[in-house]
Protein backbone atom coordinates (compact mmCIF):
# COMPACT_ATOMS: atom_id res chain seq x y z
CA UNK A 1 0.00 0.00 0.00
CA UNK A 2 1.38 3.35 -0.99
CA UNK A 3 1.01 6.46 1.15
CA UNK A 4 -0.48 4.34 3.94
CA UNK A 5 -3.71 3.84 2.01
CA UNK A 6 -5.47 0.64 1.12
CA UNK A 7 -5.79 -0.30 -2.52
CA UNK A 8 -7.88 2.29 -4.33
CA UNK A 9 -7.67 0.56 -7.69
CA UNK A 10 -10.13 -2.29 -8.24
CA UNK A 11 -8.55 -5.73 -8.54
CA UNK A 12 -10.05 -6.03 -12.04
CA UNK A 13 -7.87 -3.13 -13.19
CA UNK A 14 -4.75 -4.98 -12.06
CA UNK A 15 -5.90 -8.05 -13.94
CA UNK A 16 -6.41 -6.05 -17.14
CA UNK A 17 -3.03 -4.38 -16.76
CA UNK A 18 -1.30 -7.71 -16.17
CA UNK A 19 -2.80 -9.04 -19.41
CA UNK A 20 -1.57 -6.12 -21.53
CA UNK A 21 1.54 -6.60 -23.59
CA UNK A 22 4.51 -4.85 -22.02
CA UNK A 23 7.76 -5.43 -23.87
CA UNK A 24 10.00 -3.36 -21.63
CA UNK A 25 10.74 0.02 -20.20
CA UNK A 26 8.37 2.02 -18.08
CA UNK A 27 5.25 0.15 -19.15
CA UNK A 28 6.68 -3.16 -18.05
CA UNK A 29 8.13 -1.59 -14.91
CA UNK A 30 4.76 -0.20 -13.87
CA UNK A 31 3.09 -3.52 -14.63
CA UNK A 32 5.66 -5.35 -12.48
CA UNK A 33 5.29 -2.78 -9.69
CA UNK A 34 1.50 -3.14 -9.67
CA UNK A 35 1.88 -6.91 -9.55
CA UNK A 36 4.16 -6.55 -6.54
CA UNK A 37 1.67 -4.28 -4.76
CA UNK A 38 -1.20 -6.61 -5.63
CA UNK A 39 0.70 -9.43 -3.94
CA UNK A 40 1.21 -7.35 -0.78
CA UNK A 41 4.93 -6.94 -1.42
CA UNK A 42 7.32 -4.03 -1.91
CA UNK A 43 9.80 -3.33 -4.72
CA UNK A 44 12.59 -3.19 -2.12
CA UNK A 45 11.88 -6.67 -0.73
CA UNK A 46 14.79 -8.17 -2.67
CA UNK A 47 17.20 -5.42 -1.57
CA UNK A 48 17.98 -6.34 2.05
CA UNK A 49 21.47 -4.81 1.76
CA UNK A 50 20.14 -1.30 1.14
CA UNK A 51 19.92 0.91 4.23
CA UNK A 52 20.51 4.41 2.78
CA UNK A 53 19.63 5.52 -0.74
CA UNK A 54 19.14 8.59 -2.89
CA UNK A 55 16.79 9.03 -5.84
CA UNK A 56 17.67 10.59 -9.19
CA UNK A 57 15.30 11.35 -12.05
CA UNK A 58 11.56 11.85 -12.41
CA UNK A 59 10.03 13.42 -9.32
CA UNK A 60 6.70 11.74 -10.03
CA UNK A 61 8.26 8.31 -9.56
CA UNK A 62 10.51 9.65 -6.79
CA UNK A 63 7.46 10.09 -4.55
CA UNK A 64 6.49 6.45 -5.09
CA UNK A 65 10.06 5.24 -4.57
CA UNK A 66 10.46 7.27 -1.37
CA UNK A 67 7.24 5.84 0.06
CA UNK A 68 8.19 2.27 -0.88
CA UNK A 69 11.72 2.63 0.52
CA UNK A 70 10.47 4.04 3.80
CA UNK A 71 7.95 1.21 4.13
CA UNK A 72 10.89 -1.18 3.83
CA UNK A 73 12.89 0.63 6.52
CA UNK A 74 15.29 2.22 4.05
CA UNK A 75 16.42 5.79 4.72
CA UNK A 76 16.13 8.10 1.73
CA UNK A 77 18.85 10.69 2.30
CA UNK A 78 17.91 12.88 -0.64
CA UNK A 79 16.72 13.32 -4.18
CA UNK A 80 19.00 14.73 -6.86
CA UNK A 81 17.62 16.85 -9.65
CA UNK A 82 18.85 19.21 -12.34
CA UNK A 83 15.79 21.47 -12.26
CA UNK A 84 16.38 24.77 -10.43
CA UNK A 85 12.63 24.82 -9.67
CA UNK A 86 12.94 21.64 -7.55
CA UNK A 87 16.35 22.13 -5.92
CA UNK A 88 16.04 23.25 -2.32
CA UNK A 89 12.49 21.93 -2.04
CA UNK A 90 11.36 18.72 -0.37
CA UNK A 91 9.65 15.58 -1.67
CA UNK A 92 7.69 13.89 1.15
CA UNK A 93 10.04 15.61 3.57
CA UNK A 94 13.17 14.49 1.69
CA UNK A 95 15.49 17.30 0.52
CA UNK A 96 16.09 17.82 -3.20
CA UNK A 97 19.75 18.57 -3.96
CA UNK A 98 21.55 19.72 -7.10
CA UNK A 99 23.45 16.96 -8.85
CA UNK A 100 26.70 18.73 -7.97
CA UNK A 101 26.16 17.78 -4.31
CA UNK A 102 26.33 14.09 -5.17
CA UNK A 103 30.12 13.93 -4.82
CA UNK A 104 29.88 14.88 -1.15
CA UNK A 105 26.74 12.90 -0.28
CA UNK A 106 27.63 9.66 -2.09
CA UNK A 107 29.88 8.50 0.74
CA UNK A 108 26.79 7.96 2.92
CA UNK A 109 24.80 5.97 0.33
CA UNK A 110 24.34 2.27 -0.40
CA UNK A 111 22.82 2.99 -3.83
CA UNK A 112 21.19 5.54 -6.09
CA UNK A 113 17.78 4.64 -7.46
CA UNK A 114 16.94 5.93 -10.93
CA UNK A 115 13.35 7.10 -11.03
CA UNK A 116 12.93 7.94 -14.72
CA UNK A 117 10.01 6.24 -16.43
CA UNK A 118 11.74 6.61 -19.80
CA UNK A 119 14.31 4.19 -21.20
CA UNK A 120 17.34 6.35 -20.51
CA UNK A 121 19.14 4.47 -17.76
CA UNK A 122 22.45 4.33 -19.62
CA UNK A 123 22.50 8.10 -20.17
CA UNK A 124 21.52 8.79 -16.56
CA UNK A 125 24.24 6.45 -15.29
CA UNK A 126 26.83 8.35 -17.34
CA UNK A 127 25.66 11.64 -15.84
CA UNK A 128 25.86 10.21 -12.33
CA UNK A 129 29.27 8.57 -12.85
CA UNK A 130 30.75 12.01 -13.61
CA UNK A 131 29.77 13.02 -10.07
CA UNK A 132 30.87 9.80 -8.38
CA UNK A 133 34.63 10.06 -8.84
CA UNK A 134 35.29 9.28 -5.17
CA UNK A 135 32.77 6.43 -5.07
CA UNK A 136 32.76 5.00 -8.63
CA UNK A 137 31.39 1.60 -7.55
CA UNK A 138 28.25 2.94 -5.88
CA UNK A 139 25.38 0.86 -7.29
CA UNK A 140 22.97 2.74 -9.56
CA UNK A 141 19.72 0.79 -9.79
CA UNK A 142 16.68 1.50 -11.94
CA UNK A 143 13.27 1.30 -10.28
CA UNK A 144 12.30 -0.90 -13.23
CA UNK A 145 14.92 -3.46 -12.18
CA UNK A 146 13.68 -3.31 -8.58
CA UNK A 147 10.11 -3.87 -9.73
CA UNK A 148 11.13 -6.72 -12.03
CA UNK A 149 13.15 -8.49 -9.32
CA UNK A 150 10.37 -8.07 -6.78
CA UNK A 151 7.74 -9.31 -9.26
CA UNK A 152 9.75 -12.50 -9.78
CA UNK A 153 9.70 -13.08 -5.99
CA UNK A 154 5.94 -12.50 -5.74
Amino acid sequence: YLFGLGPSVPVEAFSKLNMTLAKGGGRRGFRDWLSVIQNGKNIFDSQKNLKKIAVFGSMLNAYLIIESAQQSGIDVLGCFDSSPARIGKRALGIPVFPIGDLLEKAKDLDAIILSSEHDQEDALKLILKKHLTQNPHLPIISWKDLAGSAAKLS
Side-chain angles (χ1 to χ4, degrees):
Y1 300 104
L2 293 175
F3 304 111
L5 302 173
S8 58
V9 177
V11 174
E12 303 80 43
F14 285 113
S15 298
K16 280 185 180 179
L17 183 63
N18 280 333
M19 289 188 291
T20 62
L21 181 62
K23 296 179 181 174
R27 186 176 295 167
R28 180 174 193 100
F30 283 121
R31 188 184 78 180
D32 287 344
W33 201 341
L34 287 172
S35 172
V36 170
I37 292 168
Q38 185 179 23
N39 288 311
K41 304 291 183 183
N42 187 299
I43 63 168
F44 287 98
D45 285 350
S46 66
Q47 303 297 315
K48 301 299 181 196
N49 59 326
L50 297 182
K51 304 295 181 217
K52 297 178 182 180
I53 63 168
V55 180
F56 177 67
S58 166
M59 288 306 293
L60 175 63
N61 282 348
Y63 283 99
L64 300 172
I65 292 166
I66 290 167
E67 181 73 16
S68 293
Q70 290 174 336
Q71 287 177 359
S72 290
I74 297 170
D75 289 328
V76 182
L77 301 183
C79 295
F80 290 90
D81 204 295
S82 58
S83 170
R86 292 188 192 101
I87 294 168
K89 302 275 184 357
R90 292 186 169 270
L92 295 177
I94 305 301
V96 179
F97 300 108
I99 189 117
D101 287 3
L102 186 56
L103 180 64
E104 173 197 338
K105 307 233 183 263
K107 66 184 181 313
D108 297 324
L109 299 173
D110 296 319
I112 298 172
I113 309 301
L114 299 176
S115 62
S116 176
E117 63 273 9
H118 302 291
D119 292 330
Q120 55 191 24
E121 285 82 8
D122 292 338
L124 293 175
K125 286 179 182 180
L126 286 174
I127 292 168
L128 290 172
K129 291 288 185 187
K130 291 178 185 177
H131 297 277
L132 293 173
T133 55
Q134 293 180 354
N135 196 352
H137 302 293
L138 182 67
I140 301 170
I141 308 167
S142 171
W143 70 270
K144 295 170 209 155
D145 293 335
L146 291 174
S149 295
K152 289 176 186 169
L153 295 176
S154 299

